[in-house]
């Protein structure tokens, strides 16, 4: 039988088996070329925001074959990983996080402050997906309902490099 191997990020390898005349295009005596149209199966890969931030490996058993998908740092919802044998496409599905929301390469965090806190200023500590914390002060900043503050380089990893998006703190002012 066929033995197929695939790696994350769209790399595919297959060895042996199959139709020895598959690439010849003939269909017999005067017939039209034979086509094999087998739509690949699709399988969703549910990933937490932490897994998409740090990267991880996910294993799936498909038709007696164990496939490993290497989820890379910064992958987004809808990223497709294709394997040839068995013919399957994995699609990244992002799970909702309890207090951070992804917006492209940025992470958004809603901060609720009273009117007095928004005027006086406060020290904020935002827990990040890798276990670190980002400390920010609003002293001397103009903080208002619906306003935002961007902290450069503290968002999601940007695929293909060391750069990261921003952490965007969105302010909600209450009385």
């Amino acid at each position: 039988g066929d033995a197929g191997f695939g790696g994350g990020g769209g790399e595919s390898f297959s060895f042996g088996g199959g139709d020895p005349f598959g690439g010849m295009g003939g269909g017999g005596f005067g017939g039209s070329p034979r086509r094999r149209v087998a739509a690949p199966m699709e399988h969703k890969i549910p990933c937490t925001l932490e897994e998409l931030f740090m990267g991880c490996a996910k294993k799936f058993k498909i038709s007696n074959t164990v496939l490993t998908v290497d989820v890379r740092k910064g992958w987004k919802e809808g990223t497709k990983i294709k394997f040839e044998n068995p013919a399957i496409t994995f699609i990244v599905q992002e799970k909702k996080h309890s207090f951070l929301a992804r917006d492209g390469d940025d992470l958004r965090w809603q901060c609720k402050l009273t009117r007095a806190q928004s005027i006086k200023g406060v020290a904020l500590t935002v827990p990040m997906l890798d276990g670190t914390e980002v400390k920010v002060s609003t002293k001397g900043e103009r903080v208002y309902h619906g306003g935002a503050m961007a902290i450069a380089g503290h968002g999601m990893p940007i695929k293909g490099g060391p750069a990261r998006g921003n952490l965007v703190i969105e302010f909600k002012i209450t009385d």
Side-chain angles (χ1 to χ4, degrees), residues 23-137:
M24 301 221 165
F29 299 99
S32 60
R34 187 174 66 187
R35 290 188 192 164
R36 245 194 290 188
V37 181
M41 293 187 324
E42 289 190 351
H43 186 79
K44 292 189 175 169
I45 306 174
C47 294
T48 65
L49 208 47
E50 289 87 350
E51 289 171 330
L52 295 172
F53 185 87
M54 303 290 291
C56 67
K58 299 243 180 185
K59 293 186 181 209
F60 300 92
K61 186 173 182 180
I62 309 289
S63 303
N64 298 324
T65 304
V66 176
L67 301 175
T68 301
V69 176
D70 294 314
V71 176
R72 296 188 183 156
K73 293 179 181 182
W75 273 4
K76 297 178 178 160
E77 169 118 10
T79 299
K80 293 182 178 183
I81 306 93
K82 296 178 182 179
F83 287 82
E84 289 182 0
N85 191 8
I88 187 165
T89 299
F90 290 97
I91 303 170
V92 172
Q93 181 180 36
E94 184 180 300
K95 292 181 181 178
K96 187 173 178 165
H97 192 269
S98 61
F99 60 89
L100 290 169
R102 185 176 189 168
D103 183 10
D105 294 321
D106 295 338
L107 290 172
R108 295 191 167 285
W109 180 63
Q110 285 193 357
C111 175
K112 293 180 183 174
L113 299 175
T114 65
R115 188 165 309 286
Q117 288 173 318
S118 70
I119 294 167
K120 180 181 171 188
V122 294
L124 302 172
T125 301
V126 184
M128 300 305 295
L129 298 168
D130 60 357
T132 63
E133 295 178 333
V134 174
K135 296 183 185 294
V136 179
S137 174

